[in-house]
Amino acid sequence: MNSPKKRIGLVGTGFIASGFARLVHNHAPDLELSVVLTRRKGGVDFFPWTDRFTHSEQELLDKSDLIVECSGDVLHATRIIDIALRAGKPVVTMNSEFHVTTGSWFADKGLLTEAEGDQPGSIAALREEAVMMGFKPLVYGNMKGFLNHHPTPEEMAYWAGKQGISVEQTTSFTDGTKIQIEQALVANGFGGTITRQGMEGPKATDVTKAAIELARTAAERGQAISDYVLAPGNAGVFVVGTHDKSEWKALNYLKLGDGPYYVLVRPFHLCQYEIIKTVRRVLGGGGVLLNNSSKPSISIVGIAKVDLPVGTRIDRAIGGFQVRGEAARITDVKGHVPIGLIQDAVITRPVSAGQTLSFDDVELPDTLALKIARELYA
């Protein structure tokens, strides 16, 4: 007798969500995309099976054995994940923005994990493999091809259209906010740190060489670090670690170099197509791949790109043209407002370009996310 299909509830209907939905439907006969929670009012031409759409959070809970959250919206994700975990539903996310803003509050309140596929989850999976093979990680690394802290709306509209993703996503990738968020999540999840606000981000044509230099820095500090390499033409993630001295000859034979720092590279991350690996991990009892930990040490500050007069409204900071994000040690930025919270916000006192925004600079909507963030960061 065949086992019943596991029911997957999905939150979100964008690029990531639609790709995951197609994968489940076409390539996972033991899983069922049972319900899709959306806030959209009309139809979505690019999303399959709109007959499974619902606006009802209760229907999401009733029809799901596991929930995949990939809305990309911190405030919405915080509320839905709170409801899901209270109902005892395991949650798999592709939403690093949520994790570094409010995720720590939920870290010990149920099974909540970021998925493999986006860079943080891919680093987590590579780290897990490295540790199993005896490596001791020193650097959790990301690769970035291009960086411009101040892209124009016209540039971002062009590239968004060319790449088939939203302007907000394109902008957060380009101005560096997304990679700062990703590496903060990794640092928090594995008890690492950053060397300075904004991280090092060395520009390099030789990723291995740059990665080893970061490892030397980590070794001097005596703590693993999370960082990235600006390496045009390269993609993927890497982990740098040491190994037992007695293994030097074997590792050299296996083309990992002379040591003592060994670079393991995963030259791809396939976002929506890899979420299913973490879904199966959780359904199989494998537990959490990555979360922000219950005691984060790194947050993402919001830095004004332009002068923000009193009364300025910020509909969305991540991926916008008013604010960008940088990773910073929480102890160094007391009173900062995490960039993930700066949504539907109004500036209450003048903010100059380059200034870090604090809770005193903005009026924020009364949300669960705000209550949590004040507890975590204020």
Side-chain angles (χ1 to χ4, degrees), residues 65-84:
D65 297 311
L66 177 147
I67 292 170
V68 173
E69 199 291 323
C70 47
S71 68
D73 184 316
V74 171
L75 306 189
H76 181 59
T78 298
R79 196 169 58 80
I80 297 304
I81 288 170
D82 179 57
I83 293 168

Side-chain angles (χ1 to χ4, degrees), residues 235-286:
V237 299
F238 61 89
V239 169
V240 190
T242 59
H243 209 295
D244 303 332
K245 290 182 180 179
S246 59
E247 299 301 315
W248 172 80
K249 285 187 178 180
L251 291 168
N252 181 267
Y253 171 76
L254 294 170
K255 307 298 186 290
L256 282 186
D258 294 331
Y261 307 117
Y262 300 100
V263 183
L264 304 178
V265 177
R266 190 175 188 264
F268 64 90
H269 69 96
L270 301 180
C271 295
Q272 60 266 45
Y273 303 109
E274 295 191 80
I275 294 174
I276 197 166
K277 291 193 279 184
T278 309
V279 167
R280 293 195 183 285
R281 174 195 181 96
V282 171
L283 291 174

Side-chain angles (χ1 to χ4, degrees), residues 301 328-337 356-360 377-378:
V301 299
R329 287 183 286 267
I330 294 170
T331 54
D332 294 341
V333 285
K334 301 257 188 205
H336 78 285
V337 56
T356 296
L357 277 72
S358 73
F359 278 105
D360 294 334
Y377 306 111

Side-chain angles (χ1 to χ4, degrees), residues 39 69 71-79 95 97-98 101-102 168 181 300-302 308 312-320 322-324 337-347 357-359 361-371 373:
R39 292 170 292 171
E69 199 291 323
S71 68
D73 184 316
V74 171
L75 306 189
H76 181 59
T78 298
R79 196 169 58 80
N95 195 338
E97 296 88 343
F98 152 78
T101 308
T102 59
E168 291 82 7
I181 288 170
I300 305 296
V301 299
L308 301 172
T312 301
R313 183 178 179 83
I314 302 175
D315 293 326
R316 181 171 174 173
I318 298 175
Q322 297 158 303
V323 183
R324 66 178 180 87
V337 56
I339 192 172
L341 268 192
I342 307 174
Q343 184 172 326
D344 303 322
V346 177
I347 298 296
L357 277 72
S358 73
F359 278 105
D361 295 322
V362 292
E363 181 180 313
L364 300 166
D366 184 17
T367 62
L368 175 62
L370 175 59
K371 292 181 176 68

Side-chain angles (χ1 to χ4, degrees), residues 7-11 35 37 56-70 75-93 98 105-106 108-113 368:
R7 303 170 302 162
I8 308 300
L10 185 59
V11 182
V35 60
L37 182 69
S56 167
E57 294 155 6
Q58 189 59 51
E59 186 177 357
L60 173 73
L61 299 178
D62 292 343
K63 292 184 176 180
S64 302
D65 297 311
L66 177 147
I67 292 170
V68 173
E69 199 291 323
C70 47
L75 306 189
H76 181 59
T78 298
R79 196 169 58 80
I80 297 304
I81 288 170
D82 179 57
I83 293 168
L85 294 180
R86 286 178 186 276
K89 304 291 181 179
V91 179
V92 173
T93 64
F98 152 78
W105 196 77
F106 299 100
D108 56 1
K109 291 180 170 60
L111 203 160
L112 169 67
T113 181
L368 175 62

